[in-house]
Amino acid sequence: MTRLSEQPFIHPDTEISDSTFGRYTEIGTRCRISETEMGDYSYIERDGMVWCAKIGKFANIAASVRINATNHPMWRATLHHFTYRANDYWPDAEQEADFFEWRRAHEVTIGHDTWLGHGVTVLPGVKIGNGAVIGSGAVVSKDVAPYTIVGGVPAKRIRQRFSDSIVERLEALAWWDWDHQRLRDALDDFRKLEIEAFLEKHGG
């Protein structure tokens, strides 16, 4: 059993570059993560791939999820990456910096307390709101509103988790910003209270 701590737990066979991880985070085996920020308490399971993303706190990311599956240059005579990774093919050629900056301009943003099911793919530029749920195998090509469940290929709205008024109260409460001890003190309430009772008790 892994006991998490303020130091991120990163499996030794994971590939990480230019990324930062918050407290109590966990990165599963065989993940590849680059140019990414991951907030406190978030985790990603085995075989995940993430590039150029901002992930909030308490994100629950299942196995084999791909976040920011990058685009190819469909407007060119060729889709192939020899045009922008030319230095891999010729010693006198350079990478195409402008193309990579274009990709970076389509960063993915994932909110707090989200759940991405097994095998989800999130396409470039997508924003996923707080509390959203993405069904297993979905391909997310458009923004997902907070506390909304989506699924399918392409992902479509299934339903909202809570009423608009409950969503507003959860967003205002922002429990994901509580400190570690306050979360511990409220543990039984998270487990046992219905959402309205939880909000009443904790001032949401």
Side-chain angles (χ1 to χ4, degrees), residues 97-120:
D98 288 348
F99 181 80
F100 287 102
E101 285 308 308
W102 172 78
R103 277 185 169 175
R104 289 185 179 96
H106 296 84
E107 178 181 69
V108 166
T109 304
I110 297 174
H112 307 298
D113 196 36
T114 48
W115 175 20
L116 280 65
H118 180 93
V120 163

PDB file of all heavy atoms in Angstrom, residues 97-120:
ATOM      1  N   ALA A  97       9.920  25.619 -34.441  1.00  0.00           N
ATOM      2  CA  ALA A  97       9.490  26.168 -33.148  1.00  0.00           C
ATOM      3  C   ALA A  97       8.077  26.735 -33.204  1.00  0.00           C
ATOM      4  O   ALA A  97       7.293  26.571 -32.267  1.00  0.00           O
ATOM      5  CB  ALA A  97      10.472  27.235 -32.687  1.00  0.00           C
ATOM      6  N   ASP A  98       7.728  27.400 -34.289  1.00  0.00           N
ATOM      7  CA  ASP A  98       6.405  28.023 -34.385  1.00  0.00           C
ATOM      8  C   ASP A  98       5.288  26.984 -34.337  1.00  0.00           C
ATOM      9  O   ASP A  98       4.226  27.232 -33.765  1.00  0.00           O
ATOM     10  CB  ASP A  98       6.279  28.837 -35.679  1.00  0.00           C
ATOM     11  CG  ASP A  98       7.102  30.107 -35.641  1.00  0.00           C
ATOM     12  OD1 ASP A  98       7.582  30.479 -34.551  1.00  0.00           O
ATOM     13  OD2 ASP A  98       7.270  30.724 -36.709  1.00  0.00           O
ATOM     14  N   PHE A  99       5.531  25.819 -34.912  1.00  0.00           N
ATOM     15  CA  PHE A  99       4.505  24.772 -34.891  1.00  0.00           C
ATOM     16  C   PHE A  99       4.260  24.277 -33.469  1.00  0.00           C
ATOM     17  O   PHE A  99       3.114  24.095 -33.047  1.00  0.00           O
ATOM     18  CB  PHE A  99       4.913  23.602 -35.801  1.00  0.00           C
ATOM     19  CG  PHE A  99       3.889  22.508 -35.833  1.00  0.00           C
ATOM     20  CD1 PHE A  99       2.761  22.627 -36.633  1.00  0.00           C
ATOM     21  CD2 PHE A  99       4.028  21.376 -35.042  1.00  0.00           C
ATOM     22  CE1 PHE A  99       1.798  21.620 -36.647  1.00  0.00           C
ATOM     23  CE2 PHE A  99       3.072  20.370 -35.055  1.00  0.00           C
ATOM     24  CZ  PHE A  99       1.950  20.495 -35.866  1.00  0.00           C
ATOM     25  N   PHE A 100       5.341  24.086 -32.710  1.00  0.00           N
ATOM     26  CA  PHE A 100       5.180  23.621 -31.333  1.00  0.00           C
ATOM     27  C   PHE A 100       4.527  24.692 -30.457  1.00  0.00           C
ATOM     28  O   PHE A 100       3.749  24.373 -29.547  1.00  0.00           O
ATOM     29  CB  PHE A 100       6.524  23.163 -30.762  1.00  0.00           C
ATOM     30  CG  PHE A 100       6.988  21.862 -31.344  1.00  0.00           C
ATOM     31  CD1 PHE A 100       7.956  21.828 -32.324  1.00  0.00           C
ATOM     32  CD2 PHE A 100       6.425  20.665 -30.924  1.00  0.00           C
ATOM     33  CE1 PHE A 100       8.367  20.624 -32.881  1.00  0.00           C
ATOM     34  CE2 PHE A 100       6.824  19.457 -31.469  1.00  0.00           C
ATOM     35  CZ  PHE A 100       7.796  19.433 -32.463  1.00  0.00           C
ATOM     36  N   GLU A 101       4.796  25.952 -30.739  1.00  0.00           N
ATOM     37  CA  GLU A 101       4.117  27.020 -30.002  1.00  0.00           C
ATOM     38  C   GLU A 101       2.620  27.031 -30.328  1.00  0.00           C
ATOM     39  O   GLU A 101       1.786  27.294 -29.466  1.00  0.00           O
ATOM     40  CB  GLU A 101       4.752  28.376 -30.311  1.00  0.00           C
ATOM     41  CG  GLU A 101       6.093  28.572 -29.632  1.00  0.00           C
ATOM     42  CD  GLU A 101       6.049  28.291 -28.130  1.00  0.00           C
ATOM     43  OE1 GLU A 101       5.172  28.864 -27.432  1.00  0.00           O
ATOM     44  OE2 GLU A 101       6.857  27.479 -27.644  1.00  0.00           O
ATOM     45  N   TRP A 102       2.279  26.735 -31.577  1.00  0.00           N
ATOM     46  CA  TRP A 102       0.860  26.629 -31.961  1.00  0.00           C
ATOM     47  C   TRP A 102       0.192  25.517 -31.163  1.00  0.00           C
ATOM     48  O   TRP A 102      -0.931  25.678 -30.673  1.00  0.00           O
ATOM     49  CB  TRP A 102       0.767  26.355 -33.463  1.00  0.00           C
ATOM     50  CG  TRP A 102      -0.610  26.043 -33.934  1.00  0.00           C
ATOM     51  CD1 TRP A 102      -1.632  26.926 -34.173  1.00  0.00           C
ATOM     52  CD2 TRP A 102      -1.131  24.735 -34.224  1.00  0.00           C
ATOM     53  NE1 TRP A 102      -2.757  26.250 -34.589  1.00  0.00           N
ATOM     54  CE2 TRP A 102      -2.478  24.899 -34.633  1.00  0.00           C
ATOM     55  CE3 TRP A 102      -0.596  23.453 -34.188  1.00  0.00           C
ATOM     56  CZ2 TRP A 102      -3.295  23.837 -34.990  1.00  0.00           C
ATOM     57  CZ3 TRP A 102      -1.405  22.377 -34.544  1.00  0.00           C
ATOM     58  CH2 TRP A 102      -2.736  22.576 -34.941  1.00  0.00           C
ATOM     59  N   ARG A 103       0.872  24.397 -31.011  1.00  0.00           N
ATOM     60  CA  ARG A 103       0.311  23.315 -30.197  1.00  0.00           C
ATOM     61  C   ARG A 103       0.144  23.746 -28.747  1.00  0.00           C
ATOM     62  O   ARG A 103      -0.884  23.469 -28.120  1.00  0.00           O
ATOM     63  CB  ARG A 103       1.216  22.087 -30.265  1.00  0.00           C
ATOM     64  CG  ARG A 103       0.996  21.213 -31.489  1.00  0.00           C
ATOM     65  CD  ARG A 103       1.841  19.972 -31.420  1.00  0.00           C
ATOM     66  NE  ARG A 103       1.459  18.998 -32.446  1.00  0.00           N
ATOM     67  CZ  ARG A 103       2.120  17.869 -32.660  1.00  0.00           C
ATOM     68  NH1 ARG A 103       3.188  17.553 -31.931  1.00  0.00           N
ATOM     69  NH2 ARG A 103       1.719  17.034 -33.598  1.00  0.00           N
ATOM     70  N   ARG A 104       1.148  24.426 -28.215  1.00  0.00           N
ATOM     71  CA  ARG A 104       1.072  24.842 -26.804  1.00  0.00           C
ATOM     72  C   ARG A 104      -0.053  25.844 -26.565  1.00  0.00           C
ATOM     73  O   ARG A 104      -0.571  25.942 -25.453  1.00  0.00           O
ATOM     74  CB  ARG A 104       2.404  25.432 -26.355  1.00  0.00           C
ATOM     75  CG  ARG A 104       3.502  24.396 -26.207  1.00  0.00           C
ATOM     76  CD  ARG A 104       4.785  24.989 -25.647  1.00  0.00           C
ATOM     77  NE  ARG A 104       5.783  23.938 -25.514  1.00  0.00           N
ATOM     78  CZ  ARG A 104       6.716  23.673 -26.429  1.00  0.00           C
ATOM     79  NH1 ARG A 104       6.784  24.404 -27.547  1.00  0.00           N
ATOM     80  NH2 ARG A 104       7.573  22.697 -26.239  1.00  0.00           N
ATOM     81  N   ALA A 105      -0.434  26.581 -27.564  1.00  0.00           N
ATOM     82  CA  ALA A 105      -1.530  27.545 -27.429  1.00  0.00           C
ATOM     83  C   ALA A 105      -2.870  26.842 -27.237  1.00  0.00           C
ATOM     84  O   ALA A 105      -3.868  27.491 -26.907  1.00  0.00           O
ATOM     85  CB  ALA A 105      -1.589  28.451 -28.653  1.00  0.00           C
ATOM     86  N   HIS A 106      -2.902  25.527 -27.421  1.00  0.00           N
ATOM     87  CA  HIS A 106      -4.132  24.749 -27.258  1.00  0.00           C
ATOM     88  C   HIS A 106      -4.042  23.855 -26.010  1.00  0.00           C
ATOM     89  O   HIS A 106      -4.396  22.674 -26.035  1.00  0.00           O
ATOM     90  CB  HIS A 106      -4.395  23.910 -28.513  1.00  0.00           C
ATOM     91  CG  HIS A 106      -4.657  24.737 -29.727  1.00  0.00           C
ATOM     92  ND1 HIS A 106      -3.649  25.265 -30.501  1.00  0.00           N
ATOM     93  CD2 HIS A 106      -5.820  25.161 -30.273  1.00  0.00           C
ATOM     94  CE1 HIS A 106      -4.176  25.962 -31.488  1.00  0.00           C
ATOM     95  NE2 HIS A 106      -5.486  25.914 -31.375  1.00  0.00           N
ATOM     96  N   GLU A 107      -3.594  24.456 -24.922  1.00  0.00           N
ATOM     97  CA  GLU A 107      -3.473  23.745 -23.648  1.00  0.00           C
ATOM     98  C   GLU A 107      -4.830  23.215 -23.186  1.00  0.00           C
ATOM     99  O   GLU A 107      -5.869  23.840 -23.418  1.00  0.00           O
ATOM    100  CB  GLU A 107      -2.918  24.723 -22.606  1.00  0.00           C
ATOM    101  CG  GLU A 107      -2.766  24.178 -21.214  1.00  0.00           C
ATOM    102  CD  GLU A 107      -2.236  25.249 -20.276  1.00  0.00           C
ATOM    103  OE1 GLU A 107      -2.983  26.213 -20.002  1.00  0.00           O
ATOM    104  OE2 GLU A 107      -1.087  25.126 -19.844  1.00  0.00           O
ATOM    105  N   VAL A 108      -4.821  22.071 -22.522  1.00  0.00           N
ATOM    106  CA  VAL A 108      -6.033  21.507 -21.911  1.00  0.00           C
ATOM    107  C   VAL A 108      -6.109  21.954 -20.454  1.00  0.00           C
ATOM    108  O   VAL A 108      -5.092  21.988 -19.752  1.00  0.00           O
ATOM    109  CB  VAL A 108      -6.016  19.963 -21.996  1.00  0.00           C
ATOM    110  CG1 VAL A 108      -7.065  19.347 -21.074  1.00  0.00           C
ATOM    111  CG2 VAL A 108      -6.239  19.505 -23.427  1.00  0.00           C
ATOM    112  N   THR A 109      -7.319  22.296 -19.992  1.00  0.00           N
ATOM    113  CA  THR A 109      -7.541  22.680 -18.595  1.00  0.00           C
ATOM    114  C   THR A 109      -8.592  21.756 -17.983  1.00  0.00           C
ATOM    115  O   THR A 109      -9.680  21.605 -18.540  1.00  0.00           O
ATOM    116  CB  THR A 109      -8.023  24.141 -18.494  1.00  0.00           C
ATOM    117  OG1 THR A 109      -7.075  24.994 -19.137  1.00  0.00           O
ATOM    118  CG2 THR A 109      -8.170  24.565 -17.040  1.00  0.00           C
ATOM    119  N   ILE A 110      -8.244  21.167 -16.849  1.00  0.00           N
ATOM    120  CA  ILE A 110      -9.154  20.256 -16.150  1.00  0.00           C
ATOM    121  C   ILE A 110      -9.364  20.788 -14.733  1.00  0.00           C
ATOM    122  O   ILE A 110      -8.394  21.073 -14.030  1.00  0.00           O
ATOM    123  CB  ILE A 110      -8.578  18.825 -16.137  1.00  0.00           C
ATOM    124  CG1 ILE A 110      -8.464  18.302 -17.574  1.00  0.00           C
ATOM    125  CG2 ILE A 110      -9.446  17.901 -15.286  1.00  0.00           C
ATOM    126  CD1 ILE A 110      -7.773  16.974 -17.700  1.00  0.00           C
ATOM    127  N   GLY A 111     -10.607  20.914 -14.326  1.00  0.00           N
ATOM    128  CA  GLY A 111     -10.928  21.527 -13.049  1.00  0.00           C
ATOM    129  C   GLY A 111     -10.700  20.615 -11.853  1.00  0.00           C
ATOM    130  O   GLY A 111     -10.117  19.532 -11.954  1.00  0.00           O
ATOM    131  N   HIS A 112     -11.182  21.074 -10.708  1.00  0.00           N
ATOM    132  CA  HIS A 112     -11.037  20.348  -9.445  1.00  0.00           C
ATOM    133  C   HIS A 112     -12.101  19.247  -9.325  1.00  0.00           C
ATOM    134  O   HIS A 112     -13.215  19.375  -9.838  1.00  0.00           O
ATOM    135  CB  HIS A 112     -11.193  21.299  -8.261  1.00  0.00           C
ATOM    136  CG  HIS A 112     -10.297  22.499  -8.335  1.00  0.00           C
ATOM    137  ND1 HIS A 112      -8.923  22.417  -8.341  1.00  0.00           N
ATOM    138  CD2 HIS A 112     -10.593  23.833  -8.395  1.00  0.00           C
ATOM    139  CE1 HIS A 112      -8.401  23.626  -8.395  1.00  0.00           C
ATOM    140  NE2 HIS A 112      -9.393  24.493  -8.432  1.00  0.00           N
ATOM    141  N   ASP A 113     -11.749  18.172  -8.614  1.00  0.00           N
ATOM    142  CA  ASP A 113     -12.683  17.092  -8.272  1.00  0.00           C
ATOM    143  C   ASP A 113     -13.359  16.507  -9.510  1.00  0.00           C
ATOM    144  O   ASP A 113     -14.566  16.302  -9.540  1.00  0.00           O
ATOM    145  CB  ASP A 113     -13.726  17.595  -7.264  1.00  0.00           C
ATOM    146  CG  ASP A 113     -14.454  16.443  -6.585  1.00  0.00           C
ATOM    147  OD1 ASP A 113     -13.818  15.403  -6.323  1.00  0.00           O
ATOM    148  OD2 ASP A 113     -15.675  16.573  -6.334  1.00  0.00           O
ATOM    149  N   THR A 114     -12.571  16.247 -10.531  1.00  0.00           N
ATOM    150  CA  THR A 114     -13.078  15.668 -11.769  1.00  0.00           C
ATOM    151  C   THR A 114     -12.780  14.168 -11.802  1.00  0.00           C
ATOM    152  O   THR A 114     -11.923  13.674 -11.075  1.00  0.00           O
ATOM    153  CB  THR A 114     -12.416  16.344 -12.972  1.00  0.00           C
ATOM    154  OG1 THR A 114     -10.993  16.376 -12.749  1.00  0.00           O
ATOM    155  CG2 THR A 114     -12.916  17.761 -13.150  1.00  0.00           C
ATOM    156  N   TRP A 115     -13.486  13.461 -12.685  1.00  0.00           N
ATOM    157  CA  TRP A 115     -13.256  12.022 -12.865  1.00  0.00           C
ATOM    158  C   TRP A 115     -13.232  11.726 -14.350  1.00  0.00           C
ATOM    159  O   TRP A 115     -14.216  11.932 -15.059  1.00  0.00           O
ATOM    160  CB  TRP A 115     -14.371  11.234 -12.167  1.00  0.00           C
ATOM    161  CG  TRP A 115     -14.317   9.749 -12.387  1.00  0.00           C
ATOM    162  CD1 TRP A 115     -13.248   8.997 -12.788  1.00  0.00           C
ATOM    163  CD2 TRP A 115     -15.405   8.832 -12.216  1.00  0.00           C
ATOM    164  NE1 TRP A 115     -13.580   7.677 -12.872  1.00  0.00           N
ATOM    165  CE2 TRP A 115     -14.912   7.541 -12.524  1.00  0.00           C
ATOM    166  CE3 TRP A 115     -16.722   8.971 -11.819  1.00  0.00           C
ATOM    167  CZ2 TRP A 115     -15.713   6.400 -12.470  1.00  0.00           C
ATOM    168  CZ3 TRP A 115     -17.530   7.844 -11.753  1.00  0.00           C
ATOM    169  CH2 TRP A 115     -17.020   6.578 -12.065  1.00  0.00           C
ATOM    170  N   LEU A 116     -12.075  11.256 -14.818  1.00  0.00           N
ATOM    171  CA  LEU A 116     -11.916  10.837 -16.201  1.00  0.00           C
ATOM    172  C   LEU A 116     -11.800   9.321 -16.214  1.00  0.00           C
ATOM    173  O   LEU A 116     -10.850   8.757 -15.659  1.00  0.00           O
ATOM    174  CB  LEU A 116     -10.678  11.473 -16.836  1.00  0.00           C
ATOM    175  CG  LEU A 116     -10.814  12.929 -17.327  1.00  0.00           C
ATOM    176  CD1 LEU A 116     -11.059  13.884 -16.169  1.00  0.00           C
ATOM    177  CD2 LEU A 116      -9.571  13.347 -18.097  1.00  0.00           C
ATOM    178  N   GLY A 117     -12.773   8.648 -16.823  1.00  0.00           N
ATOM    179  CA  GLY A 117     -12.820   7.195 -16.819  1.00  0.00           C
ATOM    180  C   GLY A 117     -11.771   6.556 -17.713  1.00  0.00           C
ATOM    181  O   GLY A 117     -11.057   7.227 -18.472  1.00  0.00           O
ATOM    182  N   HIS A 118     -11.704   5.240 -17.638  1.00  0.00           N
ATOM    183  CA  HIS A 118     -10.685   4.470 -18.365  1.00  0.00           C
ATOM    184  C   HIS A 118     -10.717   4.779 -19.862  1.00  0.00           C
ATOM    185  O   HIS A 118     -11.762   4.780 -20.497  1.00  0.00           O
ATOM    186  CB  HIS A 118     -10.932   2.981 -18.154  1.00  0.00           C
ATOM    187  CG  HIS A 118      -9.948   2.102 -18.860  1.00  0.00           C
ATOM    188  ND1 HIS A 118      -8.808   1.643 -18.248  1.00  0.00           N
ATOM    189  CD2 HIS A 118      -9.919   1.625 -20.124  1.00  0.00           C
ATOM    190  CE1 HIS A 118      -8.123   0.903 -19.100  1.00  0.00           C
ATOM    191  NE2 HIS A 118      -8.780   0.879 -20.252  1.00  0.00           N
ATOM    192  N   GLY A 119      -9.544   5.037 -20.418  1.00  0.00           N
ATOM    193  CA  GLY A 119      -9.418   5.177 -21.857  1.00  0.00           C
ATOM    194  C   GLY A 119      -9.968   6.452 -22.448  1.00  0.00           C
ATOM    195  O   GLY A 119     -10.139   6.548 -23.671  1.00  0.00           O
ATOM    196  N   VAL A 120     -10.206   7.468 -21.646  1.00  0.00           N
ATOM    197  CA  VAL A 120     -10.687   8.756 -22.152  1.00  0.00           C
ATOM    198  C   VAL A 120      -9.584   9.437 -22.967  1.00  0.00           C
ATOM    199  O   VAL A 120      -8.405   9.360 -22.630  1.00  0.00           O
ATOM    200  CB  VAL A 120     -11.133   9.661 -20.985  1.00  0.00           C
ATOM    201  CG1 VAL A 120     -11.247  11.125 -21.406  1.00  0.00           C
ATOM    202  CG2 VAL A 120     -12.450   9.168 -20.409  1.00  0.00           C
TER     203      VAL A 120
END
